[in-house]
Amino acid sequence: MEITTFTTVIEVLGTIAFAISGIRLAAAKSFDWFGAYVVGFATAIGGGTLRDLLIGQPVFWMVSWLYVAVTGLSLLAVIIFRQVLIKGFRTLFIFDAIGLALFVVVGVEKSLAAGYSMWVAIIMGMITGSFGGIVRDILIRELPLFFRKDIYATACLAGGILYGVVYEMGLGTIPSEIVCALVVVGLRVLAVRYGWSLPILQIDPEALPDDGHPKSSKHKTKKN
């Protein structure tokens, strides 16, 4: 598979969506313009940077100035249309879901173009989609969505798997992209709408001593 112009367009659109989601959250935390730009840029390039390093490709944003400029335009858009873009959870969710879906598609396709097998491409799609959000949440001092019970990385994984299924059926690249993006966005929307989540790994806090390791029976003291 070769990287097409359409793939590049998808990557630019994903950069815009993720940059706006990062800048929007930075604005909610009262960051200044430069700080908001840094958060937006890190959100937009975080997943793709890790992907390119893992698959041994030139880091995409270091090859072209386009992504730096696009993030700047995203900041300008938030400044101009701040009343619309900063207000409410729905705006953040829309841009985050769109960026997530587009970056999963790009991650899968770039990994396949680099000669990796489909299962590796699916994992790279998940990393491309979700790691930028992890960086964003760390920078704004929030618990990353990736590690919460939200259907987030799971949506990326499901989208990547469906991309692989459609592609291996011989239906072509564009149908694979469409199915992947729809699955990612659809799962995110349905998860929020109906409160879907993964089970939480829980342990009884009373079963843990001060060092954080589970108590065993031999450590229990006998009562007189």
Side-chain angles (χ1 to χ4, degrees):
M1 174 184 286
E2 296 182 357
I3 297 299
T4 63
T5 302
F6 186 60
T7 303
T8 302
V9 171
I10 292 175
E11 190 166 49
V12 170
L13 292 175
T15 299
I16 294 171
F18 257 13
I20 289 177
S21 78
I23 293 167
R24 186 263 183 210
L25 276 178
K29 294 282 186 175
S30 299
F31 282 43
D32 63 21
W33 288 11
F34 180 75
Y37 177 88
V38 170
V39 173
F41 187 62
T43 306
I45 62 96
T49 299
L50 180 57
R51 174 204 64 223
D52 289 343
L53 291 174
L54 289 174
I55 65 176
Q57 297 295 306
V59 178
F60 74 104
W61 62 270
M62 300 178 70
V63 177
S64 172
W65 56 267
L66 181 61
Y67 304 97
V68 176
V70 162
T71 303
L73 291 176
S74 300
L75 173 62
L76 183 62
V78 174
I79 292 172
I80 295 174
F81 303 106
R82 67 180 69 190
Q83 296 301 324
V84 176
L85 295 178
I86 297 179
K87 186 178 180 181
F89 168 78
R90 182 174 296 178
T91 303
L92 169 65
F93 176 78
I94 290 172
F95 283 102
D96 188 72
I98 292 173
L100 194 67
L102 296 178
F103 274 175
V104 171
V105 170
V106 171
V108 171
E109 292 188 347
K110 286 200 167 184
S111 301
L112 291 176
Y116 287 89
S117 59
M118 183 59 74
W119 70 269
V120 174
I122 292 170
I123 294 174
M124 289 301 109
M126 181 175 67
I127 289 174
T128 307
S130 59
F131 191 73
I134 294 176
V135 175
R136 175 197 64 204
D137 292 342
I138 290 173
L139 289 176
I140 65 171
R141 304 179 75 176
E142 294 283 350
L143 178 65
L145 279 172
F146 188 92
F147 301 120
R148 301 183 213 173
K149 62 180 182 177
D150 300 59
I151 303 296
Y152 194 80
T154 311
C156 298
L157 183 60
I161 291 173
L162 265 294
Y163 184 108
V165 170
V166 175
Y167 187 80
E168 295 298 331
M169 289 172 63
L171 297 180
T173 301
I174 293 180
S176 302
E177 294 170 341
I178 294 172
V179 169
C180 176
L182 289 177
V183 167
V184 174
V185 173
L187 281 176
R188 287 291 293 139
V189 170
L190 291 173
V192 171
R193 174 66 178 81
Y194 295 105
W196 294 351
S197 63
L198 296 177
I200 300 174
L201 183 61
Q202 290 183 321
I203 187 170
D204 184 3
E206 295 183 357
L208 293 174
D210 293 338
D211 61 2
H213 297 290
K215 296 177 181 177
S216 61
S217 59
K218 66 180 182 180
H219 291 121
K220 294 179 180 179
T221 56
K222 295 182 179 179
K223 295 181 179 180
N224 294 328

